[in-house]
Amino acid sequence: MTDSAEFWDRRYTHGDLGWTLAPHPLAVAELALVPPDTSAGPNAPGRLALDLGAGAGRHSLWLARRGWRVTAVDFSATALERTRRQAAAEELDVTTVLADLDSYEPQQGAFGLALITYVHPEPPLRAALLERAAKALAPGGRLVIVGHHLDNLGRGLEGPSDPERMFTPERLSAELPELRVERAERVIHIVPTASGEREAYATVIRAGRATTDRPGEPPSEAGLPHHEPYQEIP
């Protein structure tokens, strides 16, 4: 079963790790739009990022290099050990948490940024995960999601074989009622395969929790960036 911690521990120990170490360009493009508030205190939400399904830390380390204090959550002890070693070598502020995302409860309202990349649980578990991720955001915080689009099915690419576990912009947007969806798109990108480079499809989501300027006033969109059209990668 590819969803088990044991499977991923073996893969992180013996498998091809090239794809697990380089930050995904679609995730990086979205994360770059959400810089940390380096003028805030170390425990302020504007300094804290949450990486759910962090794997070997490719995005956690990228965020920490740019000033975020990152909590990296995964159920693979082997992956988190790799993250800790690299963070220590670079003196980066990354805290690892060994936990199953099906039950992990992040602190509510604590983070300025949450990230989910290529985590594809079954629909009820996905909805619960997205709800917890949304609740973890402080006012003005962002959630970034990148994953396999439904159109990848049957194309010989990695990803779930169950169509219900694949992402679409409409599917994920409907599961984020507490957030303002700023970007929800199907994006073409290039992936390496054993037979050479191929086109693949990803779902990219960026959503924000609105801010409230004064008690009793309706939420505003202060601090939310203007939604620019997303450029597909050819």
Side-chain angles (χ1 to χ4, degrees):
M1 180 177 177
T2 59
D3 289 337
S4 71
E6 292 78 10
F7 170 88
W8 286 104
D9 281 341
R10 289 193 300 271
R11 186 162 186 182
Y12 283 118
T13 301
H14 304 294
D16 176 10
L17 294 177
W19 64 271
T20 71
L21 302 178
H24 196 289
L26 296 180
V28 167
E30 294 302 316
L31 296 173
L33 299 175
V34 193
D37 182 359
T38 54
S39 66
N43 296 316
R47 293 287 304 280
L48 303 181
L50 177 65
D51 189 356
L52 295 166
R58 56 178 177 164
H59 298 118
S60 294
L61 297 167
W62 188 92
L63 288 167
R65 291 179 189 122
R66 283 149 185 82
W68 288 98
R69 302 183 64 211
V70 184
T71 298
V73 185
D74 204 274
F75 65 1
S76 170
T78 302
L80 293 181
E81 176 57 29
R82 288 177 175 271
T83 301
R84 284 193 296 273
R85 286 202 304 266
Q86 189 60 37
E90 297 185 43
E91 298 183 343
L92 299 174
D93 197 339
V94 179
T95 299
T96 60
V97 176
L98 181 64
D100 191 324
L101 294 186
D102 291 350
S103 56
Y104 175 68
E105 294 278 354
Q107 183 179 347
Q108 294 188 11
F111 297 91
L113 173 64
L115 171 66
I116 302 172
T117 52
Y118 290 92
V119 176
H120 289 265
E122 296 175 358
L125 297 175
R126 180 183 66 227
L129 172 62
L130 296 186
E131 180 180 11
R132 292 194 297 270
K135 290 184 181 300
L137 295 178
R142 298 304 199 292
L143 172 62
V144 171
I145 307 170
V146 180
H148 297 288
H149 190 279
L150 179 61
D151 288 350
N152 279 348
L153 271 181
R155 303 185 70 244
L157 301 169
E158 285 202 359
S161 58
D162 179 358
E164 295 301 313
R165 296 174 61 175
M166 300 291 268
F167 292 168
T168 68
E170 299 79 12
R171 184 174 285 175
L172 296 192
S173 295
E175 294 176 347
L176 295 170
E178 296 185 22
L179 303 183
R180 173 183 179 267
V181 176
E182 301 166 355
R183 176 163 291 160
E185 302 199 23
R186 169 186 175 274
V187 179
I188 299 172
H189 64 118
I190 302 300
V191 297
T193 70
S195 58
E197 293 186 338
R198 294 185 56 188
E199 283 190 348
Y201 303 102
T203 296
V204 177
I205 302 286
R206 175 168 31 90
R209 181 172 293 286
T211 59
T212 301
D213 298 325
R214 296 177 183 174
E217 288 188 354
S220 74
E221 296 179 0
L224 299 183
H226 177 67
H227 180 170
E228 298 292 346
Y230 198 95
Q231 291 186 346
E232 292 190 347
I233 298 178

